Amino acid sequence: MSVLPDLHLHYVQTCQNLSQPENPFIARVLKEADKNDEITTKGITLKLAGNNHLEPVPRVTDDDLGVLASVLGQAAFVTGLDLAYNLLTDAGAKIMATILQSNQSLVHLRMTGNKIGNQGGLFFASMLKINSALEKLDLGDCDVGPQCLTATAIALTQNKSLKAINLNRPLLSSQQEETTVHIARMLRSNSSLVELHLGKHEMKNFGVERLCEALYENSSLRYLDLSCNNIICDGVEFLGELLRRNRSLEILDLGANRIEDVGAICLSQALATRNRTLQALSVVSNNITGQGLVALAQAMHSNMALTHIYIWGNKIDRSTCVAFSELMTVGRLELGCTDVAPYEVDGEVLLAEQSHGLAKHRYWSPRCAAVAPGAANASLEIVPISEYL
């Protein structure tokens, strides 16, 4: 690392040698990286995401990635690679997985939103059995299937370095509950994983029960994302018992399920009486009425560990407005730690939505600096693992 290769020059020369047209987006990012004074001290992340709404860019293809792979082979100071929302397929996945079998400098890789299918996912699963440096892997919103999820779960029983993985929105069929069983088995033995995203897995109560049983024995996982599944109040009973017994979980995302009042009350009872480790809870869009929302607000009065709560998208009534306004008035709930803000009209307290959340950096970025990064991405302050996940 004492002599830094010229990333841009290497890229241009490799394109010429392979008769591959230059991608101007990649060329510009590499030029900027060459000017980075912190390369040798902190390492750099090459941000090549294709979904920049402020500046449309030519998206990275499998052929582009083949050239970039040669550049990465000479750049030990590149510690992160963001390739989200490009035009990569299984062929691109194979290129990246092959690189990571020997690369010991890359610690986070973001592939979300690419057309990577089951075969591409299997390449990454095989890589995880060999690689001992990668800490964060994002395969969310790809098209991986049940075989990939099962293979990844098996690989993570052996892998001791990965700390965070995003497996949101795979393509599943009738085997979805079987994949959850494999992931649950992995959690019984894995002691390195800190953050796990299982959104849009079509998970039902059976899958939730299997996960909770495994997490009774797991003391490393701190962030569990079960958003956008099919979890109803019966499944929340298992989560309530988990909160009573688990001593490591700090963030629980249940957004866009259907836990309703019964589920919200179940969670509030666990939080009010036994749990003192959970710091953030999202129950956004869960068909909860004032009864359940007020119960959660009351739980915060007795549970001082819970500092962040997100409730928008439910059936917010007058009692909810009063309960959450009171939490903020007495200083129990900070304005930047929730997605609602109180205001008053004709003497009546109401709640307005705020653009705050657990991890909006995964899918949204403001066009101006109107929203504080900590408010929009609270999970990074609580469990700062997934900055590039």
Side-chain angles (χ1 to χ4, degrees):
M1 292 180 63
S2 58
V3 179
L4 297 178
D6 188 321
L7 294 177
H8 178 251
L9 179 60
H10 187 184
Y11 175 70
V12 171
Q13 291 175 340
T14 305
C15 285
Q16 292 174 350
N17 294 338
L18 297 176
S19 299
Q20 169 71 23
E22 292 181 32
N23 182 314
F25 177 37
I26 296 177
R28 176 170 60 80
V29 170
L30 295 181
K31 274 186 179 179
E32 293 171 354
D34 286 333
K35 300 174 184 178
N36 193 323
D37 295 331
E38 296 182 340
I39 283 179
T40 57
T41 56
K42 295 183 178 180
I44 59 171
T45 295
L46 298 180
K47 297 183 179 181
L48 294 166
N51 63 332
N52 188 337
H53 59 236
L54 297 180
E55 182 183 359
V57 296
R59 299 191 177 190
V60 179
T61 66
D62 294 335
D63 289 338
D64 292 327
L65 188 56
V67 179
L68 188 61
S70 176
V71 177
L72 293 175
Q74 304 296 320
F77 47 82
V78 175
T79 56
L81 187 58
D82 184 352
L83 291 167
Y85 300 103
N86 280 296
L87 302 175
L88 302 175
T89 67
D90 288 349
K94 184 177 182 179
I95 292 170
M96 276 311 311
T98 301
I99 292 172
L100 287 168
Q101 286 185 4
S102 57
N103 184 294
Q104 292 297 307
S105 56
L106 206 66
V107 295
H108 57 83
L109 173 64
R110 188 172 186 232
M111 302 291 287
T112 186
N114 283 287
K115 287 297 180 180
I116 298 173
N118 205 61
Q119 186 60 50
L122 289 173
F123 290 133
F124 283 113
S126 297
M127 174 274 296
L128 288 173
K129 295 179 180 180
I130 300 171
N131 181 282
S132 60
L134 195 68
E135 296 181 2
K136 312 166 193 176
L137 176 61
D138 187 346
L139 295 177
D141 294 312
C142 294
D143 293 336
V144 299
Q147 295 93 336
C148 167
L149 296 178
T150 300
T152 300
I154 293 172
L156 289 178
T157 62
Q158 305 172 31
N159 184 288
K160 305 300 180 186
S161 61
L162 201 72
K163 295 181 180 178
I165 187 166
N166 182 357
L167 297 172
N168 284 349
R169 209 230 71 191
L171 294 184
L172 297 176
S173 60
S174 59
Q175 303 178 59
Q176 61 260 22
E177 296 293 85
E178 180 183 342
T179 60
T180 305
V181 170
H182 284 286
I183 293 172
R185 288 174 182 167
M186 174 272 294
L187 289 171
R188 291 180 184 272
S189 58
N190 183 287
S191 60
S192 61
L193 205 61
V194 174
E195 181 169 341
L196 176 61
H197 295 270
L198 298 175
K200 299 182 182 178
H201 271 239
E202 302 181 30
M203 192 181 304
K204 300 180 176 65
N205 298 337
F206 174 81
V208 175
E209 184 178 11
R210 300 288 83 76
L211 284 177
C212 290
E213 289 173 348
L215 289 172
Y216 295 155
E217 305 173 26
N218 183 293
S219 59
S220 64
L221 196 72
R222 296 168 60 192
Y223 185 173
L224 178 61
D225 175 7
L226 299 179
S227 60
C228 303
N229 278 292
N230 296 320
I231 302 171
I232 62 174
C233 56
D234 291 343
V236 179
E237 292 184 9
F238 304 117
L239 290 167
E241 183 61 24
L242 174 65
L243 291 177
R244 292 182 177 90
R245 298 169 60 172
N246 181 276
R247 294 294 178 268
S248 62
L249 200 61
E250 297 178 2
I251 300 177
L252 178 59
D253 189 348
L254 294 175
N257 282 286
R258 199 174 179 85
I259 72 171
E260 302 184 318
D261 287 338
V262 174
I265 292 171
C266 178
L267 291 175
S268 68
Q269 291 172 343
L271 291 169
T273 58
R274 299 287 294 276
N275 184 279
R276 292 297 180 268
T277 55
L278 197 73
Q279 297 182 41
L281 172 66
S282 174
V283 291
V284 169
S285 300
N286 264 277
N287 200 38
I288 307 171
T289 72
Q291 182 183 7
L293 295 171
V294 169
L296 289 170
Q298 292 173 342
M300 292 193 72
H301 284 292
S302 56
N303 184 332
M304 304 308 292
L306 187 65
T307 55
H308 296 68
I309 188 165
Y310 303 92
I311 65 167
W312 191 258
N314 291 295
K315 299 179 179 179
I316 296 175
D317 61 4
R318 185 174 182 180
S319 63
T320 305
C321 296
V322 171
F324 278 85
S325 175
E326 180 183 347
L327 284 174
M328 286 177 261
T329 299
V330 300
R332 175 62 189 87
L333 179 62
E334 298 292 335
L335 198 60
C337 298
T338 184
D339 57 352
V340 293
Y343 67 100
E344 191 171 313
V345 176
D346 295 334
E348 183 176 353
V349 176
L350 302 171
L351 293 177
E353 181 185 14
Q354 297 192 94
S355 294
H356 297 177
L358 285 173
K360 290 200 170 185
H361 69 283
R362 298 213 316 267
Y363 56 88
W364 172 85
S365 60
R367 296 177 183 269
C368 61
V371 179
N377 302 297
S379 64
L380 299 184
E381 294 188 346
I382 300 172
V383 183
I385 297 296
S386 64
E387 182 178 358
Y388 300 102
L389 194 63

